Amino acid sequence: MIKTVLTNEDPLITPSWEAFIGNGYIGQRIAIEGDYSHFDDTLQRPGFWDDRPFPSGSVMNGLWGESGLEYLPRWCTLKLGVGSGSFGTSYVSRRAGSYDEYKQDMNLNQGIVRTKALWSTEDKDGTKFSLKYQTEVYLARHDRNTAVIEMTITPHFDGWITVEDILDASMCDSFQAVWQKEKGQTISLTGNLGEKRREIEIHSMTGLINGEIPELLPHPYVEIPSIDYRLSDRGIRKMIYLQAEKDIPVAVRKVVGIYSDQDSIIDRAKAIEKLADSFMSEEKLRHDHCRAWEKLWHSRIETDNTELQETSDLILYLFYSQLEENRAYALGPLGITGGECWRGRLFWDGDLWMFPGINLLNPRLAKGFVDIRANGLKGAIGNAAKEGRKGARFAWESTDSGMEKCTGYEVNQVHLNSAVCLAHERYYLASGDEKYRREISIPILEETVEYWLERISFNEEKNRYEIKSISCPDEFSGIVNNNSLTNYAAVKDIRRLISFYETEGMKIPETWKDIIEKMHLPRNESGLILEYENYNGHTIKQADTTLLIYPYEMNLTIREINDLVEYYSIRTEKKGIMMSGVIDGIAYALLGKPEKLWEAFEKTGHHFHGPFKVSTETPHNNNQWFMTGLGGILQLILIGMAGIRQTAEGLKISPCLPQQIGELSIYGLFDKGERFNLSIRRTAGGIIHNLKPLK
């Protein structure tokens, strides 16, 4: 199993590249202090948050509003203070006091963030305080509704310590908060989020770790703590005042139950009873949590190259943290990592960039990407109908409804249709689920082809088929005619449906075969495929025409592949979007140029920041935990370096190992529902590989 632990030892690092935990349902950024993400909740940015406060870095999968995913109330707070317990209390933070012996670990193997430090401050009356504290935070991977925060405090003084459990409802449009003294002294928050008034319910039980019901029996080290509760227009807080003794540790546990209207039952009594059980049996909870993570890591990547190992571990950790089996969840560009941009809305990012790698390693987790498109088919048919066309046009930017949310020219990026169909085909190749293919995937393909037939026109003068007035992946180009990728994507979908119909003995319209034969792909005088009609060689935003090489796998000669990658790689925006170089790297693997493949991998390093290797869309913007690019890198490893190809006949392997790698192993590959381990290593006689089936 993996051993990667990423560590930050600088409590004042700027900007604050925060850690992340998730359990497939809920994601949460963890700040330097060890609790909730420290977005500035007084700062508002019209247009991004509709004049609402910034969120606290916590997002729930499937909690869709009209415009995107709704952000959760702040549930992760466990504030530690010293002093009188009155207005003058000093709270542990980077903004007050000083840190020594600071260390924060993000354990990728177990999905736990641990923070510890020696913190010192001075009260208003000149009294000095210092203490050591350690927090551990995790979202239970086996129990989607449960989170745990544990804090151990060792004061270097005699006096008062204040621990505050806060449920902050700033993100709620309306809420109710209650203190339930008879229920283990639990605080609860119920509220509504966004235009759809999505229901959310959070319960928190905080107390001393002493093997008894919280606060109701004496603690062996200190007197029974005094407790206070406060309601405000922002939520509810529970304050525990401890008369601490010098160098005597105090341990506090907070267990949180987080529910939404997606959960089958929101029964307050049952939720609180479960919370009490979790509090009292946290060791079992943690054990089951770690076992669930261990199971996920059965599908993993191992290599003798440290940089590649750390990167692949991080990528898989982030996907395993954000996807859940048997749920129609897909990820927007920033997933559920609490980012500011896009609010979880769905783009081609999921279908083309994130899905393929995870699908090879764990199709049950990846299935949400294809399920959410299937659920949104009605919306896609509606999008086409609004254009006065038949068939389905999958939205460039959508929620789970499938209805278009984009209002700019990018709405014309109809190449997304083919990315959706390509994902469904790959899911079938990994899972072998014939029933799903026939009942779900083929109807989507049929509606997509119907739409293509509406968009394709025949140019009688030039005896060719064309697609006009579209936007291509290179968004710098605006509206163009005959984007080569879009035109070929339409051909690929039609060819795929023809293949299915032929196996079923169904009649194929002659027009379809004529379209395949005569579809126009613009070329220059030397035969190079152009991005679109009259492309003049301008700088492009991201991979576009090179996508014909992969993932569309057009039948190109080695020379054509080389010409495409060499021509477009120097025209791609420097220090731009994370994924472009990934496609170049895969192309170089096909060309047998491992040194150029490794160069493409190393260029992605400019997008990682800080001790936790937080990825950003470009090297210079702040769209943190950019999952689209991470999905691209995962494909660079699996498709480029390991040389894995999904085919109807089974997995085909043609590795291309850069000199920096001696061994590369992929554990738990899927093909037609069967699992395989792939080992690749460099020997004196060359690179050898072994694909071994698992029982």
Side-chain angles (χ1 to χ4, degrees):
M1 292 300 160
I2 72 158
K3 300 178 181 178
T4 297
V5 176
L6 301 179
T7 300
N8 174 30
E9 296 183 343
D10 181 3
L12 302 179
I13 189 170
T14 303
S16 175
W17 304 104
E18 296 180 333
F20 176 78
I21 56 172
N23 65 357
Y25 187 40
I26 300 165
Q28 174 70 60
R29 294 192 193 194
I30 302 298
I32 282 171
E33 287 79 0
D35 58 1
Y36 69 92
S37 174
H38 284 201
F39 279 117
D40 183 351
D41 59 10
T42 65
L43 180 63
Q44 296 178 352
R45 185 180 303 177
F48 266 98
W49 291 110
D50 306 319
D51 298 321
R52 298 173 70 193
F54 269 32
S56 60
S58 188
V59 184
M60 176 182 281
N61 257 325
L63 196 65
W64 292 103
E66 288 291 340
S67 303
L69 289 175
E70 299 293 349
Y71 286 73
L72 291 176
R74 184 178 295 161
W75 56 268
C76 195
T77 308
L78 195 59
K79 290 180 68 175
L80 172 60
V82 296
S84 63
S86 63
F87 181 76
T89 301
S90 297
Y91 291 97
V92 172
S93 79
R94 77 195 80 170
R95 300 176 181 88
S98 61
Y99 279 105
D100 291 293
E101 303 174 23
Y102 177 85
K103 185 178 182 183
Q104 186 175 64
D105 293 330
M106 185 165 71
N107 186 322
L108 308 188
N109 187 39
Q110 298 178 338
I112 297 174
V113 171
R114 179 182 294 110
T115 308
K116 58 183 180 180
L118 171 63
W119 183 76
S120 304
T121 191
E122 185 174 319
D123 211 343
K124 289 185 177 181
D125 62 3
T127 304
K128 294 182 179 181
F129 301 92
S130 69
L131 57 81
K132 284 187 176 182
Y133 79 96
Q134 175 176 298
T135 63
E136 290 189 343
V137 189
Y138 66 92
L139 282 152
R141 193 61 184 83
H142 67 294
D143 182 345
R144 68 198 312 244
N145 303 109
T146 301
V148 176
I149 308 168
E150 290 200 347
M151 178 184 290
T152 302
I153 312 148
T154 305
H156 297 324
F157 61 91
D158 293 322
W160 286 99
I161 294 174
T162 305
V163 177
E164 291 192 23
D165 174 6
I166 302 174
L167 298 179
D168 187 323
S170 296
M171 296 305 296
C172 293
D173 294 279
S174 61
F175 75 92
Q176 290 182 326
V178 295
W179 162 38
Q180 301 182 93
K181 185 176 181 180
E182 72 283 1
K183 299 288 187 179
Q185 302 186 350
T186 303
I187 57 175
S188 298
L189 180 74
T190 60
N192 298 101
L193 301 170
E195 308 94 322
K196 291 187 174 182
R197 297 190 63 77
R198 299 300 300 267
E199 296 177 27
I200 193 78
E201 188 162 316
I202 303 176
H203 308 283
S204 180
M205 180 177 288
T206 302
L208 302 173
I209 303 174
N210 60 0
E212 304 290 351
I213 296 295
E215 286 90 48
L216 300 186
L217 293 176
H219 186 274
Y221 297 140
V222 298
E223 297 177 3
I224 296 175
S226 57
I227 303 169
D228 189 15
Y229 295 82
R230 295 179 188 174
L231 289 168
S232 73
D233 60 357
R234 291 184 56 175
I236 185 171
R237 64 182 62 203
K238 170 183 176 179
M239 289 154 289
I240 304 174
Y241 303 121
L242 305 173
Q243 183 67 52
E245 298 179 36
K246 183 178 180 180
D247 298 330
I248 300 297
V250 178
V252 177
R253 175 181 296 148
K254 171 175 175 172
V255 180
V256 188
I258 307 165
Y259 300 85
S260 78
D261 50 26
Q262 300 178 88
D263 296 298
S264 56
I265 299 175
I266 301 181
D267 184 301
R268 182 171 298 176
K270 290 182 179 179
I272 293 174
E273 182 179 347
K274 177 186 173 187
L275 203 66
D277 289 342
S278 297
F279 189 101
M280 298 303 296
S281 57
E282 191 276 335
E283 287 187 6
K284 182 180 185 304
L285 188 77
R286 184 181 295 242
H287 174 269
D288 293 344
H289 162 79
C290 292
R291 285 292 301 273
W293 269 104
E294 181 182 346
K295 182 179 178 181
L296 285 170
W297 285 116
H298 288 166
S299 294
R300 65 191 186 279
I301 298 168
E302 291 187 1
T303 177
D304 58 349
N305 182 280
T306 303
E307 180 184 3
L308 183 62
Q309 184 68 66
E310 190 173 275
T311 301
S312 61
D313 286 350
L314 176 64
I315 291 171
L316 292 180
Y317 168 76
L318 289 166
F319 278 113
Y320 292 167
S321 296
Q322 299 179 71
L323 296 171
E324 190 175 9
E325 291 186 16
N326 303 315
R327 305 283 179 177
Y329 296 155
L331 303 179
L334 305 183
I336 56 169
T337 63
E340 302 172 31
C341 204
W342 301 301
R343 284 189 63 182
R345 291 189 293 274
L346 307 175
F347 296 77
W348 74 323
D349 301 53
D351 312 275
L352 197 81
W353 297 103
M354 300 185 217
F355 171 81
I358 295 300
N359 180 56
L360 276 169
L361 292 169
N362 194 327
R364 288 187 291 271
L365 275 185
K367 187 171 179 284
F369 285 98
V370 291
D371 280 345
I372 203 165
R373 293 302 191 185
N375 293 348
L377 179 59
K378 182 179 178 181
I381 292 172
N383 295 333
K386 286 183 178 180
E387 298 175 358
R389 295 186 170 100
K390 299 177 183 178
R393 179 183 69 74
F394 287 93
W396 178 243
E397 189 173 351
S398 71
T399 64
D400 60 335
S401 71
M403 297 297 293
E404 184 65 74
K405 297 297 180 182
C406 178
T407 57
Y409 71 89
E410 297 91 347
V411 72
N412 295 289
Q413 294 203 54
V414 294
H415 61 85
L416 168 64
N417 264 20
S418 188
V420 171
C421 294
L422 185 58
H424 273 263
E425 179 186 44
R426 285 176 164 168
Y427 174 71
Y428 169 67
L429 292 174
S431 69
D433 190 338
E434 184 67 35
K435 185 174 185 290
Y436 190 90
R437 179 187 182 224
R438 289 178 175 273
E439 296 181 3
I440 305 297
S441 300
I442 293 300
I444 286 175
L445 181 60
E446 289 174 322
E447 293 291 348
T448 297
V449 168
E450 186 76 17
Y451 181 79
W452 284 129
L453 296 173
E454 293 275 306
R455 290 301 302 255
I456 295 168
S457 60
F458 184 64
N459 186 327
E460 292 187 7
E461 179 184 347
K462 297 185 178 180
N463 191 33
R464 70 191 191 194
Y465 289 91
E466 301 178 334
I467 303 178
K468 296 183 177 181
S469 300
I470 59 92
S471 178
C472 49
D474 168 25
E475 294 172 347
F476 291 168
S477 296
I479 302 298
V480 301
N481 295 329
N482 291 316
N483 168 244
S484 292
L485 175 70
T486 303
N487 288 14
Y488 183 75
V491 165
K492 193 167 180 85
D493 288 343
I494 295 170
R495 185 181 288 139
R496 190 181 294 120
L497 189 56
I498 287 175
S499 176
F500 177 77
Y501 280 0
E502 286 177 342
T503 61
E504 298 297 302
M506 299 172 66
K507 186 177 179 180
I508 312 298
E510 286 300 320
T511 309
W512 292 12
K513 295 180 180 180
D514 197 45
I515 289 172
I516 291 172
E517 182 181 342
K518 296 179 181 178
M519 178 60 77
H520 177 49
L521 300 187
R523 296 176 184 259
N524 67 10
E525 60 279 359
S526 65
L528 178 82
I529 300 174
L530 295 177
E531 184 178 289
Y532 56 85
E533 197 80 55
N534 301 318
Y535 172 71
N536 62 8
H538 66 72
T539 298
I540 64 177
K541 178 182 179 181
Q542 59 190 358
D544 189 315
T545 316
T546 52
L547 294 171
L548 294 171
I549 303 169
Y550 176 83
Y552 284 92
E553 298 179 329
M554 184 178 173
N555 187 18
L556 299 167
T557 66
I558 291 296
R559 179 176 177 179
E560 286 176 316
I561 293 173
N562 186 76
D563 289 348
L564 281 174
V565 71
E566 293 296 335
Y567 181 82
Y568 287 103
S569 63
I570 62 174
R571 287 167 174 78
T572 306
E573 182 184 28
K574 304 303 178 187
K575 295 187 177 181
I577 301 297
M578 194 175 187
M579 305 89 69
S580 296
V582 164
I583 299 301
D584 294 345
I586 293 173
Y588 285 127
L590 291 171
L591 294 169
K593 296 182 177 181
E595 72 286 350
K596 299 286 281 185
L597 165 59
W598 185 255
E599 183 180 311
F601 170 72
E602 287 208 309
K603 283 181 179 178
T604 66
H606 300 299
H607 296 262
F608 292 97
H609 308 274
F612 299 127
K613 294 175 70 73
V614 177
S615 58
T616 56
E617 181 188 22
T618 71
H620 50 267
N621 76 13
N622 198 36
N623 292 327
Q624 296 184 21
W625 295 121
F626 186 56
M627 300 304 300
T628 314
L630 296 180
I633 297 174
L634 183 58
Q635 292 187 72
L636 182 64
I637 298 168
L638 297 176
I639 310 302
M641 297 178 187
I644 301 166
R645 291 294 186 279
Q646 291 177 285
T647 75
E649 294 75 35
L651 295 176
K652 305 296 183 184
I653 312 297
S654 182
C656 182
L657 278 194
Q659 194 64 40
Q660 291 82 354
I661 303 172
E663 296 181 357
L664 178 63
S665 296
I666 316 295
Y667 293 90
L669 284 170
F670 274 81
D671 180 67
K672 296 290 182 62
E674 302 295 325
R675 296 181 72 232
F676 298 82
N677 286 345
L678 172 63
S679 62
I680 307 166
R681 60 189 178 93
R682 185 184 305 282
T683 70
I687 296 172
I688 61 174
H689 71 271
N690 179 40
L691 185 65
K692 180 181 179 181
L694 299 176
K695 294 182 180 180

